[in-house]
Amino acid sequence: MTLRFAIPSKGSLYDGTIAFLESAGLRVSRPNPRRYTASIRALPGADVLLHRPTDIVEKVAAGEIDLGISGLDLVEELHGDRDDLIVLFDDLGYGAAELVVAVPETWIDVTSWHDLADLAVELHSQGRLLRIATKYPSLTRRFCYANGINYFRLVESQGATEAAPGLGYADIIVDITETGVTLRDNQLKIVGDPILRTQACLIASRRCLRANPAALEATRTVLELVEARRRARRFVQVTANIAGESAEDVGRRVAARPDLAGVQGPTIALVWPSTPRAVGVSGWYMVTLLVPQERVLDLAAHLRRLGGDTIAVMPAQYVFDSTCSSYERLIALLEEQT
């Protein structure tokens, strides 16, 4: 076994993880949906384990799993001061949600965290504490103390947290939301900015990767593919045929707009004619550029003005840099004294 790699076992985080890994060339093979082990052909010898997202964080922190994917909210809630858990990517691009404070809609005078702090003081003067239902006690406690909410009691909630104020066993809640619809359905409103913006993240065990060179090398494969895939999301590859006297002539005209000349400039190649050209007739050249997605229409207009024809746009699958910066960061973290 070269690597113990844990991914979520079910739900939207499982679906997002499977789709993301496949897009990065790390297709998960799970012949039986009831099995909690799988494999990835690009990681020979690796064990792919399917666990609950909370268990993944705990097992990585405890050194029982080398690498895992979970939610950043769970990492922030559960890792505590355990330095063996390190975050390799905190934004894989799916599973986005926000940890928010929500109060009853009828509390029209409560519109900010400062209002909550004042309310907590008022309730304390009446002999009781502000009751907060949450599945995130550590994050909630840190949030309260950081914002002057000093008189409160946490009410543990393992399900349907948004129902707590309506049922009377809490005053407000701190919970994860994707759209806010469930909160509104339960007559709650969000107060203040999100405590935390979360999405799927990639985590690793410092202790395990230090002790197992094979696991570290397999992790490098994962980081190379994931980093290149994430970078590729920002770019498209554009090709066009442009007539010109020479490759230099076409290149100069394309590069006259440096903002549309590609990451490192255009690549120019002679198009072999399907029929012999007459003497004195310009040749055709294929221009290839890698540009940010948001510039594709501007680039198409620029190429048209140059007489461009057959303009094709293709999504980039991978964009590798000269080095894998995430792997270099990992090595630096492993070399730190803890």
Coordinates of all heavy atoms in Angstrom, one line a residue, residues 1 10 24 36 47 65 100 112-113 126 171 182 184 218 326:
M1 N 0.8 -1.2 0.0 CA 0.0 0.0 0.0 C 0.9 1.2 0.0 O 1.7 1.4 0.9 CB -0.9 0.0 1.2 CG -1.7 1.3 1.5 SD -2.8 1.1 2.9 CE -1.7 0.5 4.2
K10 N -20.7 9.5 0.8 CA -22.0 9.7 0.2 C -22.4 11.1 0.2 O -21.7 12.0 0.7 CB -23.1 8.9 0.9 CG -23.2 9.2 2.4 CD -24.3 8.3 3.1 CE -24.4 8.7 4.6 NZ -25.4 7.8 5.2
A24 N -9.7 15.5 -13.1 CA -8.2 15.6 -12.9 C -7.5 14.4 -13.3 O -6.2 14.3 -13.0 CB -7.9 16.0 -11.4
Y36 N -16.9 0.1 0.9 CA -16.3 1.3 1.3 C -14.8 1.4 1.1 O -14.0 2.1 1.7 CB -16.6 1.5 2.8 CG -18.0 1.9 3.1 CD1 -19.0 0.9 3.2 CD2 -18.4 3.2 3.1 CE1 -20.3 1.3 3.3 CE2 -19.7 3.6 3.3 CZ -20.7 2.6 3.4 OH -22.0 3.0 3.5
D47 N -4.8 2.7 -1.5 CA -6.1 2.3 -1.0 C -7.0 3.6 -0.9 O -6.7 4.5 -0.2 CB -6.0 1.7 0.4 CG -5.7 0.3 0.4 OD1 -5.7 -0.3 -0.7 OD2 -5.4 -0.3 1.5
I65 N -4.8 8.1 8.3 CA -5.0 8.2 6.9 C -4.0 9.2 6.4 O -3.7 10.2 7.1 CB -6.4 8.7 6.6 CG1 -7.4 7.6 6.8 CG2 -6.6 9.2 5.1 CD1 -8.9 8.0 6.7
V100 N -23.1 30.5 9.0 CA -23.7 31.8 9.3 C -24.4 31.8 10.6 O -24.7 30.7 11.2 CB -24.7 32.2 8.2 CG1 -24.1 32.3 6.8 CG2 -25.9 31.1 8.2
S112 N -27.1 43.0 13.3 CA -25.7 42.9 13.3 C -25.1 42.0 14.4 O -25.9 41.8 15.4 CB -25.0 44.3 13.3 OG -25.2 44.8 14.6
W113 N -23.9 41.7 14.4 CA -23.2 40.9 15.5 C -23.2 41.8 16.7 O -23.3 41.3 17.9 CB -21.8 40.5 15.1 CG -21.8 39.5 14.0 CD1 -22.9 38.7 13.5 CD2 -20.7 39.1 13.2 NE1 -22.5 37.9 12.5 CE2 -21.1 38.1 12.3 CE3 -19.4 39.5 13.1 CZ2 -20.3 37.5 11.3 CZ3 -18.5 38.9 12.2 CH2 -19.0 37.9 11.3
Q126 N -31.1 39.6 32.9 CA -32.4 39.0 33.3 C -32.2 37.6 33.9 O -33.2 37.0 34.2 CB -33.3 39.0 32.1 CG -33.6 40.3 31.5 CD -34.4 40.2 30.2 OE1 -34.8 39.1 29.7 NE2 -34.6 41.3 29.5
D171 N -32.2 30.1 21.1 CA -32.7 31.4 20.6 C -32.2 31.7 19.2 O -33.0 32.2 18.4 CB -32.1 32.5 21.6 CG -32.5 32.3 23.0 OD1 -33.7 32.3 23.3 OD2 -31.6 32.2 23.9
T182 N -33.5 27.0 3.3 CA -34.0 26.3 4.5 C -34.2 27.2 5.7 O -35.1 27.1 6.5 CB -33.1 25.1 4.9 OG1 -33.0 24.2 3.7 CG2 -33.6 24.3 6.1
R184 N -34.9 30.4 5.5 CA -36.1 31.2 5.3 C -37.4 30.4 5.5 O -38.4 30.9 6.0 CB -36.1 31.8 3.9 CG -35.0 32.9 3.7 CD -35.2 33.6 2.4 NE -35.0 32.8 1.2 CZ -33.8 32.6 0.7 NH1 -32.7 33.2 1.2 NH2 -33.6 31.8 -0.4
A218 N 3.2 9.4 -4.1 CA 1.8 9.3 -4.6 C 1.1 10.6 -4.4 O 0.3 11.0 -5.2 CB 1.1 8.1 -3.9
S326 N 2.2 23.6 -5.2 CA 1.6 22.9 -4.0 C 2.5 21.8 -3.4 O 2.6 21.6 -2.2 CB 0.2 22.3 -4.4 OG 0.4 21.4 -5.4

